[in-house]
Amino acid sequence: MVSAALAALVVLGLTAGPASATPPGIPSASTAKSELAGLTVAAESHASTYDRSLFPHWITISGACDTRETVLKRDGTSVVTNSSCAATSGRWYSPYDGATWTAASDVDIDHMVPLAEAWQSGAWNWTTSRRQAFANDLSRPQLWAVTDNVNQSKGDQDPATWKPSLTSFRCTYARAWVQVKYTYGLSVDSAEKSALSSMLSAC
């Protein structure tokens, strides 16, 4: 007889197949559509004043573990860490491209809404503490463990110019993107809104 704990793990998809842990707070497509409709549409600004150091990130979360290490443990399968919380083994599934990795060095922690994108969409006007909270947000779908070179190809782009190569993930991508922008009161530009609407309509 399957124990209640094991049954819960099976439901969560933690016992078999590729690691596919999902960050919390992803809304339904209908909720995301409503949230997108409520976002302010505005041209991006303040690009020339962006500096990544204005978003303190990979802060200590617990003990020796920083935000990156916490996400690696959250989103991986059979993750083993050393005394300084660095992942020494495990398995990570990248939802952007469908690849699975067994070395943490092949995995980046992506900010769903890139820091530069956030800056140009309103974060230039935030306090440093709010930018730190945004850059290390574990309670919303902002941080994702993905293939490193895929994250690098995304860079600071929004959905108007970059989408995950795995088309089956684009609905989730749009829902997560909208949720983060909605939660933080960030604006969208017209091309970005159009791309998000298109992806949500295909959910």
Side-chain angles (χ1 to χ4, degrees):
M1 185 173 179
V2 178
S3 69
L6 180 57
L9 288 175
V10 171
V11 169
L12 290 170
L14 298 179
T15 57
S20 55
T22 302
I26 301 172
S28 66
S30 59
T31 296
K33 289 175 184 176
S34 297
E35 291 177 347
L36 179 59
L39 294 180
T40 298
V41 178
E44 294 179 354
S45 64
H46 294 78
S48 64
T49 57
Y50 169 70
D51 186 323
R52 191 173 175 84
S53 67
L54 294 167
F55 291 81
H57 56 287
W58 304 168
I59 61 172
T60 299
I61 299 298
S62 176
C65 303
D66 67 17
T67 316
R68 170 184 162 80
E69 293 156 347
T70 300
V71 176
L72 284 172
K73 288 203 291 183
R74 180 192 73 184
D75 293 356
T77 293
S78 304
V79 178
V80 176
T81 57
N82 62 20
S83 58
S84 34
C85 203
T88 55
S89 64
R91 193 167 80 254
W92 294 270
Y93 172 77
S94 168
Y96 290 4
D97 58 337
T100 297
W101 302 97
T102 55
S105 58
D106 289 323
V107 180
D108 277 359
I109 305 305
D110 178 48
H111 290 97
M112 170 61 64
V113 174
L115 304 183
E117 166 69 23
W119 178 266
Q120 295 170 58
S121 303
W124 58 270
N125 198 32
W126 293 353
T127 61
T128 299
S129 61
R130 184 164 173 78
R131 287 193 289 268
Q132 175 174 295
F134 177 84
N136 298 278
D137 194 343
L138 294 165
S139 62
R140 296 174 184 84
Q142 166 68 337
L143 299 173
W144 296 74
V146 301
T147 303
D148 56 1
N149 60 2
V150 171
N151 179 47
Q152 289 151 25
S153 73
K154 176 191 173 190
D156 297 328
Q157 298 179 82
D158 70 29
T161 54
W162 190 91
K163 298 176 181 63
S165 60
L166 197 62
T167 56
S168 60
F169 183 70
R170 290 180 182 177
C171 170
T172 303
Y173 189 80
R175 287 154 51 206
W177 183 284
V178 169
Q179 178 65 22
V180 172
K181 284 223 159 176
Y182 183 82
T183 299
Y184 284 91
L186 295 168
S187 62
V188 289
D189 63 40
S190 55
E192 175 188 356
K193 182 174 184 177
S194 177
L196 288 165
S197 296
S198 209
M199 284 193 281
L200 290 174
S201 69
C203 286

